[in-house]
Amino acid sequence: MYPSKKIILLTLIVFFYVTLISHGKEKNNLFSKVFNESEAKCVKVYGGTLGTEHGYAAGMIISPDGHIITALGMFLSSKKLRVVLNTGDVFYAKVIRRDRALQVALLKIAFKTPNYFNLKNSVVAKPSEWALAIGNPFKVADGKEKLSLNLGVVTMITKLEVKRRAQDVIYNAEAILIDSITGNPGSQGGALVTINGNVLGMIGKVLEYKGTNTRINYAVPGKLLQDFFDGKIKKANNKLTVYIGIQLFSISGRKAPAFIDRVDIGSPAFLSGLKKDDLIVSIGDIKIATCLDYDKAIKELSKGVKVQVLIRRKDNFYKLSLVPSEIKIEEEEEDEDFD
């Protein structure tokens, strides 16, 4: 059964209408005021790239002191992580905190941001209500160019069982599913708001549904983002790390490259195929440049959840799947904040 000409025409009109809004060509319409106000509280985030990993995302300003929330990704490991405000001003950013369960990260820039989303005022999404998704798919906007707007409908609020390529991704929390195309590189970290401008949540990273191997358009609810910002989720999960069974060659200090010095026989690392003298390049979405990076990445893993490890062995690169085992207790260090 094919859609009628009326449905096709209506779809094209809505698409064209929303495109005009996002490019500022239509000033007096239903969504332009909400879009302009919300877009001013969003940012573009640029970091490093590795292989097929995209080095960019969107972000939401969530405090007057330069705090920004975005989606997890390897680009956050860049030493030159940058945030671009809607004015075109560029600032270096620091990663303050990560949460693998929600796939989110908290950044901070050394700049006052009086125009921000107050997550305490976020509202609970309701199925069938309209939602505006603001992001930067495929990095179409640069500098002070406006981000893109997608108009969609909330379909349901549910828990997800998702994966990212061959790697399972933990998401043991509620998610807002949206009938809107947001599962594209660059959209993640953007804002999801109601047509009245109330915050619903943050657009999630590109994920796939295990059942159909299709990408999911979803957002992390505002209440969970607020809990993460307040440190409540981190406090519930701290002091946990896992065992994978390798020891790094760190005689030169923890800032040395993460070369493997020893692999425990029968350990998860041994079973995955890791070997002595392998150089660890990344673990999951986290780029590993030093032994310190490795230490932090291990604390993001969870028992029994498969993760991909990218290594360099002589002149070749290999991706290996590893499943961490028993949990050990260890104090967790939080990333340093700005003064």
Side-chain angles (χ1 to χ4, degrees), residues 17 20-22 24-36 149:
Y17 187 63
L20 286 177
I21 298 169
S22 64
K25 298 183 184 298
E26 182 64 52
K27 302 298 183 182
N28 300 309
N29 55 60
L30 181 61
F31 305 122
S32 62
K33 183 175 184 294
V34 171
F35 169 72
N36 289 326
L149 170 67

Side-chain angles (χ1 to χ4, degrees), residues 300-314:
E300 300 291 334
L301 303 183
S302 297
K303 175 183 176 181
V305 178
K306 183 170 64 177
V307 64
Q308 277 198 337
V309 180
L310 177 64
I311 63 164
R312 191 184 76 190
R313 183 176 295 163
K314 295 183 178 179

Side-chain angles (χ1 to χ4, degrees), residues 86-106:
N86 79 315
T87 57
D89 295 315
V90 183
F91 299 91
Y92 285 111
K94 172 80 174 180
V95 179
I96 304 301
R97 189 182 307 135
R98 296 179 174 90
D99 188 274
R100 191 162 179 262
L102 295 180
Q103 292 292 294
V104 297
L106 179 66

Side-chain angles (χ1 to χ4, degrees), residues 9-196:
L9 180 60
L10 179 60
T11 302
L12 290 174
I13 291 173
V14 171
F15 176 78
F16 181 67
Y17 187 63
V18 172
T19 302
L20 286 177
I21 298 169
S22 64
H23 288 81
K25 298 183 184 298
E26 182 64 52
K27 302 298 183 182
N28 300 309
N29 55 60
L30 181 61
F31 305 122
S32 62
K33 183 175 184 294
V34 171
F35 169 72
N36 289 326
E37 290 178 352
S38 299
E39 196 271 345
K41 303 172 187 176
C42 294
V43 301
K44 307 171 187 74
V45 185
Y46 299 100
T49 60
L50 182 64
T52 58
E53 294 289 336
H54 297 281
Y56 55 89
M60 298 170 59
I61 303 172
I62 58 171
S63 88
D65 299 316
H67 289 98
I68 295 162
I69 200 163
T70 188
L72 268 187
M74 197 177 297
F75 68 95
L76 294 175
S77 299
S78 172
K79 293 183 178 179
K80 294 184 178 180
L81 185 64
R82 305 178 310 283
V83 164
V84 182
L85 304 183
N86 79 315
T87 57
D89 295 315
V90 183
F91 299 91
Y92 285 111
K94 172 80 174 180
V95 179
I96 304 301
R97 189 182 307 135
R98 296 179 174 90
D99 188 274
R100 191 162 179 262
L102 295 180
Q103 292 292 294
V104 297
L106 179 66
L107 314 181
K108 192 175 188 300
I109 59 175
F111 187 73
K112 294 296 182 181
T113 49
N115 199 12
Y116 66 96
F117 290 107
N118 189 341
L119 295 177
K120 292 181 180 179
N121 296 332
S122 62
V123 297
V124 178
K126 299 176 182 178
S128 77
E129 74 172 325
W130 290 102
L132 306 181
I134 302 169
N136 194 20
F138 304 109
K139 201 169 59 175
V140 295
D142 199 7
K144 62 180 181 180
E145 294 176 340
K146 284 188 175 295
L147 298 174
S148 296
L149 170 67
N150 274 316
L151 176 64
V153 175
V154 175
T155 57
M156 68 174 65
I157 295 87
T158 185
K159 287 190 176 182
L160 299 180
E161 183 184 10
V162 291
K163 66 177 181 178
R164 188 167 187 271
R165 297 188 177 94
Q167 175 191 344
D168 288 338
V169 175
I170 303 172
Y171 196 97
N172 295 321
E174 283 190 340
I176 305 169
L177 299 191
I178 325 158
D179 182 15
S180 176
I181 302 174
T182 60
N184 290 316
S187 295
Q188 73 274 22
L192 185 72
V193 301
T194 68
I195 58 174
N196 296 319

